[in-house]
Amino acid sequence: MTPLRPAARGFTLVEVLIALSLLSLLMLVLTGAIRSMGQTEDRVEQRVAASDDYRATVNFLRDVLGRVSARKFHSTVADTPAEVPFFQAQPDSLAWIGILPARYGAGGRHYMRLAVEGAGASAGQLVLRFAPWTGAPVFTAWEQASAQSLGPVEAVSLRYLEPASGQWSTAWPPPGMASNDLPRTLLPAAIALQFDGPNPPWPPLVVALTPSGADSLLSAASFGGRR
């Protein structure tokens, strides 16, 4: 007689279900790990991009603020010196006459204004507007001026350093300061900029201002930042 062979033993339904459950858990863990790695990479890329934007903005602002003119014009505003530079300083904007570096596409003396545009309904942008200098002591047609976007910013806060006292003010000249107490250039010693809105956030920026440039030979005073 042919001996009986033991029947081949397969997996039971319970064992198959347990194996599928373990495999599903393993796939979930692997999927979560891959997603986390992807999100981490995206955050790193965002931080690198934000760092590049900030570095480019800082370099640009140091260039343009480093060439602010202190050439004086006849003043038509009461309770101010007879001659003042074109320097319209506000807590959230700044307008001045300065030298736009040629490597940015338009060299020479220009009217300039730094402010945030488009905040609110749409994403805000820190924008430098500029128009060729005509010799006039004022400029108001900023809507027609050329624009250079410097990065995504919802708001910018500006403060101005009074050199004698070392005090910061949100306007220039500081409210209540007598004309005789202003520096000889009638300009602050430094400008501090605080940015709101970039993600990751940009650190504050302080640009020191010192007399320099061709206007110092023309009007006894001009100033600029780092050269």
Side-chain angles (χ1 to χ4, degrees), residues 26-61:
L26 180 60
M27 293 299 296
L28 286 174
V29 172
L30 290 176
T31 302
I34 293 173
R35 183 183 297 112
S36 178
M37 291 176 59
Q39 293 173 347
T40 300
E41 183 178 356
D42 290 341
R43 287 193 294 268
V44 170
E45 290 178 353
Q46 290 175 358
R47 289 187 177 277
V48 170
S51 177
D52 290 342
D53 289 342
Y54 177 74
R55 188 180 303 108
T57 298
V58 167
N59 291 337
F60 188 89
L61 290 178

Side-chain angles (χ1 to χ4, degrees), residues 91-110:
D92 58 357
S93 66
L94 174 64
W96 71 97
I97 296 173
I99 304 298
L100 191 66
R103 65 176 176 274
Y104 294 112
R109 187 174 280 107
H110 284 69

Side-chain angles (χ1 to χ4, degrees), residues 26-204:
L26 180 60
M27 293 299 296
L28 286 174
V29 172
L30 290 176
T31 302
I34 293 173
R35 183 183 297 112
S36 178
M37 291 176 59
Q39 293 173 347
T40 300
E41 183 178 356
D42 290 341
R43 287 193 294 268
V44 170
E45 290 178 353
Q46 290 175 358
R47 289 187 177 277
V48 170
S51 177
D52 290 342
D53 289 342
Y54 177 74
R55 188 180 303 108
T57 298
V58 167
N59 291 337
F60 188 89
L61 290 178
R62 288 196 186 281
D63 278 339
V64 295
L65 289 174
R67 293 169 172 80
V68 178
S69 170
R71 179 184 298 209
K72 296 185 177 75
F73 301 91
H74 177 68
S75 175
T76 59
V77 181
D79 300 324
T80 63
E83 292 188 333
V84 295
F86 176 71
F87 192 80
Q88 299 175 345
Q90 301 296 329
D92 58 357
S93 66
L94 174 64
W96 71 97
I97 296 173
I99 304 298
L100 191 66
R103 65 176 176 274
Y104 294 112
R109 187 174 280 107
H110 284 69
Y111 300 101
M112 300 185 195
R113 188 190 70 174
L114 182 70
V116 172
E117 299 182 9
S122 58
Q125 290 285 325
L126 183 64
V127 175
L128 178 77
R129 288 194 175 268
F130 52 93
W133 182 61
T134 62
V138 296
F139 184 82
T140 58
W142 295 113
E143 295 78 6
Q144 288 76 44
S146 301
Q148 174 70 44
S149 176
L150 303 182
V153 174
E154 288 297 326
V156 62
S157 301
L158 297 139
R159 294 184 300 153
Y160 309 92
L161 180 63
E162 199 283 305
S165 66
Q167 299 296 314
W168 291 92
S169 175
T170 56
W172 186 266
M177 177 171 286
S179 299
N180 293 337
D181 294 332
L182 291 170
R184 185 168 59 92
T185 60
L186 303 182
L187 296 166
I191 300 174
L193 302 95
Q194 176 73 47
F195 307 101
D196 297 326
N199 187 21
W202 289 356

